Structures are given as C-alpha cells and as structure tokens.
C-alpha cells in the first residue's frame, strides 16, 4: 500500500513537470499518425492506474478555467454537399500566405494540401503549396514518434478512405491563418504536404482536407493543446437551395434552446451520438435500440454526403416513408446504376413546400429528447427530372455503423462540445449564423491577410493613385451561394435589396450579368451616381466597397451567402462621353480629309489622263515638209 502511494505521488510529480518541458510539447505535434482504424494513441503514466477519462479530464482542467476568455475563429463555408459532395472552407498556409480550399471533414485527423513537387496530384482549385516560397516553413524531422522516409530525415503520413481514395506525403510545420473574420491570429501547426493522391482525392476540385477529427494531428487538437481555443467547434451547413454556411473553431455562447446529447469519446474514434430510435410522422419505428449500437455506433461525419443506416433500420424507415408518401408518383433515379427511391412532386422545383408533402422525421436519443429533421435533411433534388426528389438515406450493407452525413445536418447548427463530451443541435438558417448568434460582437477588427496570387483579386483603394480620382461607376463582382436558375427570377428583388442596403436610389444599382459557377452564381453589381454628370468621392467609393468586403450588407435568406470576388472603378462618365465625343469628331475629320484627298487625287488623275490623250501641238510644228495636199 505504501509502495502504491509512493508510486502515485511519483507519477503525479512527473505529470506536473510535463507542461514545463518544451520537448514534450513539441512531441505532441510530432507523434505518429493514428492507426488505420483512426483510434487515438492513449497517454500512459507509469505506476499510476487512472480512472476512465481521468487523463483527459486532467489535461482539460486548465482549458476549462480559461475557455471563456479564449478567442474563436469563424470561417465561411462554400460549395454544396450534394452538387460537390462536400463543403469547403478557406485556409492560408505560409509566409506570405498561400490560400487553399479544403474539405471540412470531422472524420479525418490530418490537414493536408498538394505539395509543389507532387507528381501524382490532380489539378485542383488553387496552385500547389510551395514550401520553398514560405519563409516560415519547416519540415517535421524524423523522430521516434513518426514514420520516417527512407533517408530517415523527415516524417511521413498516409491516409486511406472508404471510397478507396488515398493521400500520402511528408509532414511540415508552418504558419496557419484563418481569414479576416477570425479572432484567432495566425499560429504554427503541423500539416501534410501531399506527394501522392489517388481516387476521388485526385479528381476533386477542392485542394485538400481540413481534419477536425480526434487525433494528435487534427487541427482542432493542435489549437486546443496550445491553449489557443477552447475544446469545441461548430459546423452549420446551408439548406437545399442556399448552400454555404459557417464553421467556428473554439467555443461561443450557444442559444439556450440548443438540444444536446452525449458523445462518448471512448465508444468510437469518431464523433458519435446516443441514438436509440427514429420516428416518422410522429410514429416510432418498431426497432430494437441495439440496432444503433453496432461497430462505431451512430457517427456524425461532415465529410460524408448521405445517411447510411443498418439494414433493419433502413427497411423500417423506407417502409414508413413510402406509406406516408404513397399518393406521390414514384419514378426512376438519376443514375441507372443505382436503385434510388424517387418521387415526382410538382412541376415547380422550389423546395420550400416539401414539409407539406413529406413527413417529419425525428432522431430519438437516450435522454428521451428528439432532433427534428425536415425533408431537406433526408431528400435530395433529382438531377434530371424537374420537381422530383430522391431519398438520401441508404442501407449500410454489412457495416453495422449508422453514418449520418452532411445531408442530415443541412440548416442545422451542430456544436461538437469535446470538452464536455456532448454534441448539440439547433435548427437555424446557416447563411445568417453570425447575425443570429452574435458571435462576433466582441471581435477586434480583423487583420488583413497579405495578398497572394491564389487569393481573389481586390483592386483596393490603397492601390489607386493618391489624391482624389474621378469615379463615375463602381463595378462589383459578387459570388452568391445560390444557383443561377434559382436566382434569375429574383434579380430585380436583389437589386432593390442592394440599393436599400447601400442607402442609394434603386435607379443607381443594377445587375449587368449573371453567370453560373457550379451551385453558385456570379453577378456584376453596378453602382452609379445620382446624376450622369456627378461623381463618387473616394470616401463614398471606399464605404461601398468595404461594406461588401466586411460582409456588412444583409441579404434575405433566399440569396444565401455572398463573397466579393473583385471590383473595378470606372472614370467619370462625363469625361468618358467627352473623350468619346472628341474621338468621334477626330475620326470624322480624318475620314472627311481622306475622302477629300481621294477625290482631289481622282480629279488630278482624270486631268492628267485627258492631257495625255489630247496633247497641245504648236502650229509651226504641225506642218510636215514631206506632207502633200491631196487633190480635190
């Protein structure tokens, strides 16, 4: 007993000394990747038998005391879970920063981007990461806690996914920046620099993956372990017609009506919830709750598109749904290789009325609370038949895990409260997350990221010549997270909203064109002065542009999120007309001069020709001696 007490005391002294060791702190970042099954390597203290979760609780004690004062990073989401198969966010790596569009994946434990020397990487949205161009990049040197290359110089990583794609490369460390809307300043983090991509990772448009899972290389774990954010993050995916959304790294004040359920970190290496049943149209499916306890349990995976249920649960769910939707006409799915369950609803393709046609679905938890799903959380739009929708829930075959992908959490704020081992849900409009939750009320002015070739080009006022310039028109190219077919009939409404937000007359704002960009739309908003002869001041121009840049323009839900891609300034229209008028006058004078010159030249040529055919001969020269007069 005495020996055990001495051992425990000795272990406690060792534990207390660890935070003071820089080497120990560095090794946290340099540990080897998790095993293939994604489980985390446990932290073991010799001579001390810990209770379940005790090491986790001890390591989080300091974070809990200070979590309220820690900053958070709010980052916008782009793309669409169904059209693209994923959502992406923007991350900047290096000095100067290089921008990347990364898939938001709560099931991955490493963040990686293609490296400049990668010979087997696909063509993606942005240029590859160039370590040689970053003054703050450092390779993670080979050590006993990582897999090393053949030369024993650098740490390697490798990841394989269920759809048979893979990524492998080297580990590097550099400055990571989170965007201008983040309270969190740039910090160093370890990430993967890809040398080889296969499968969907090779062909996808996104550059790479941002790993939000539970693992030592996870970006969340790295930020938490450095004490930069509290042990929490949130995702909010946009709806069927909107796309986009928001992500928050770190904690913030959650709404009081948010519904939480337990998430056991020891149950699975993935984020799981304690689902015990499903209701369709208010009626419980006749299922044994143990059907949701197989393999990894019920897993939330933001990187998966659809929902997958164990066979018994899927059969009961599909049967109940078909019974409720029996009046609808059943049609073939968009892909003949799959037997999708699809319905023709109406000639309209508007998803707003689906809740009056399809039944509600509830996920029931062990606590007795339920999470209500709308039809957009289990349906997807038919890609070939207008006004048709298909079931986005499928059987999981031999795998007994229940997998809930991005479709299930559309227009739902999901908080992964890792600190308290809970997951929270709140039905909300994700395109207005920051306004609804007021998470940026205390945020300091954002730090501007240095520009680089992969960033959207903004011709800011600082790049303009000094002094007052004549501005007769402001052209703003804006990307909206709604598709062009949905936006086209609402263009006039959007123009009126923008004029109201800019405090100008409706005649001063018009949209000059509309182009499609995947599930997004690109429009050009043109703002002109009140009178053709008047001008914008530099102050007014800066105010208008900054309101778009800093997302101070509030658009209705139907228009989704927006992003200012670029803008240009045109000179005074009065001057432009004067220049055009003078140009026309000069050209007219030149034309007249050329015509007169040609006429004069033509007259001269005709005169010369006439002179040549009737030459003037002197009388004396006309008498020829040899000539004789003919007789009469």
């Amino acid at each position: 007993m005495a020996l055990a007490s001495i051992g425990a005391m000795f272990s406690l002294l060792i534990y207390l000394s660890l935070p003071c060791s820089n080497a120990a702190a560095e090794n946290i970042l340099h540990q080897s990747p998790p095993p293939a099954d994604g489980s985390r390597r446990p932290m073991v203290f010799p001579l001390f038998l810990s209770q379940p979760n005790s090491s986790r609780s001890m390591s989080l004690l300091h974070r809990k005391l200070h979590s309220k004062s820690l900053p958070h990073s709010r980052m916008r989401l782009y793309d669409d879970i169904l059209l693209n198969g994923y959502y992406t966010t923007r991350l900047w790596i290096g000095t100067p920063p290089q921008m990347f569009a990364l898939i938001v994946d709560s099931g991955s434990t490493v963040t990686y981007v293609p490296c400049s020397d990668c010979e087997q990487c696909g063509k993606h949205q942005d240029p590859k990461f160039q370590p040689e161009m970053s003054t703050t990049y450092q390779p993670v040197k080979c050590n006993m806690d990582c897999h090393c290359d053949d030369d024993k110089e650098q740490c390697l990583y490798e990841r394989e996914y269920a759809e048979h794609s893979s990524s492998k490369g080297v580990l590097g460390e550099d400055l990571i920046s989170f965007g201008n809307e983040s309270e969190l300043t740039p910090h160093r983090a370890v990430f993967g620099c890809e040398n080889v991509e296969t499968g969907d990772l090779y062909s996808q448009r996104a550059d790479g993956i941002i790993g939000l899972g539970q693992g030592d290389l996870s970006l969340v774990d790295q930020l938490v372990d450095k004490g930069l954010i509290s042990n929490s993050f949130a995702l909010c995916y946009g709806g069927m017609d909107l796309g986009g959304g928001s992500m928050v790294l770190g904690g913030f004040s959650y709404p009081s009506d948010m519904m939480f359920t337990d998430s056991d970190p020891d149950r699975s290496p993935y984020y799981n919830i304690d689902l015990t049943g499903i209701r369709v149209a208010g009626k419980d499916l006749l299922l044994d709750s143990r059907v949701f306890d197989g393999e990894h349990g019920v897993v939330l995976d933001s990187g998966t598109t659809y929902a997958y249920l164990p066979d018994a649960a899927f059969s009961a769910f599909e049967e109940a749904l078909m019974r409720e939707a029996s009046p609808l006409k059943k049609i073939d799915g968009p892909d003949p290789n799959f037997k999708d369950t699809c319905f023709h609803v109406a000639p309209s393709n508007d998803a707003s009325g689906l809740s009056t046609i399809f039944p509600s679905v509830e996920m029931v938890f062990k606590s007795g609370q339920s999470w209500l799903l709308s039809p957009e959380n289990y349906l997807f739009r038919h890609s070939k038949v207008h006004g048709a929708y298909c079931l986005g829930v499928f059987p999981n075959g031999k795998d007994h895990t229940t997998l809930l992908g991005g479709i299930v959490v559309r227009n739902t704020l999901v908080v992964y409260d890792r600190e308290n081992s809970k997951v929270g849900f709140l039905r909300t409009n994700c395109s207005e997350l920051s306004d609804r939750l007021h998470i940026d009320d205390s945020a300091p002015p954002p730090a501007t990221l240095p520009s680089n070739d992969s960033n959207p080009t903004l011709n800011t006022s600082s790049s303009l010549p000094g002094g007052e310039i004549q501005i007769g028109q402001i052209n703003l190219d804006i990307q909206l997270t709604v598709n062009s077919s949905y936006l086209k009939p609402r263009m006039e409404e959007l123009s009126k909203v923008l004029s109201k937000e800019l405090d100008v007359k409706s005649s001063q704002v018009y949209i000059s064109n509309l182009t499609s960009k995947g599930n997004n739309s690109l429009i050009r908003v043109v703002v002109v002065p009140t009178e053709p002869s008047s001008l914008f001041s530099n102050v007014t121009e800066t105010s208008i542009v900054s309101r778009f840049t800093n997302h101070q323009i509030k658009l209705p839900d139907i228009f989704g999120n927006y992003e200012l891609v670029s803008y240009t300034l045109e000179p005074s229209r009065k001057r432009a007309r004067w220049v055009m008028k003078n140009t026309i006058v000069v050209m007219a004078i030149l034309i007249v001069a050329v015509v007169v010159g040609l006429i004069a030249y033509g007259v001269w040529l005709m005169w010369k020709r006439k002179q040549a055919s009737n030459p003037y001969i002197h009388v004396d020269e006309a008498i020829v001696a040899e000539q004789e007069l003919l007789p009469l």
Side-chain angles (χ1 to χ4, degrees), residues 329-356:
K329 179 184 177 182
K330 190 176 178 182
I331 62 174
D332 293 333
D335 191 337
N337 296 318
F338 299 95
K339 295 181 179 180
D340 291 324
T341 302
C342 302
F343 307 91
H344 190 268
V345 178
S348 171
N349 212 31
D350 190 355
S352 60
L354 290 179
S355 57
T356 62

Side-chain angles (χ1 to χ4, degrees), residues 296-331:
H296 298 295
V298 180
V299 173
L300 288 175
D301 184 8
S302 66
T304 295
T305 305
Y306 301 104
Y308 298 86
L309 301 178
D311 288 351
F314 172 77
S315 297
F317 175 76
E318 185 184 38
E319 181 182 351
L321 184 71
M322 293 293 291
R323 186 166 54 248
E324 295 295 328
S326 58
L328 298 175
K329 179 184 177 182
K330 190 176 178 182
I331 62 174

Side-chain angles (χ1 to χ4, degrees), residues 73 75 91-92 176-180 182 184-185 219 223 249:
S73 173
M75 304 163 70
L91 207 66
W92 288 260
I176 305 278
S177 305
F178 305 93
N180 291 338
S182 171
L184 190 62
T185 56
L219 185 60
L223 296 175
L249 298 179

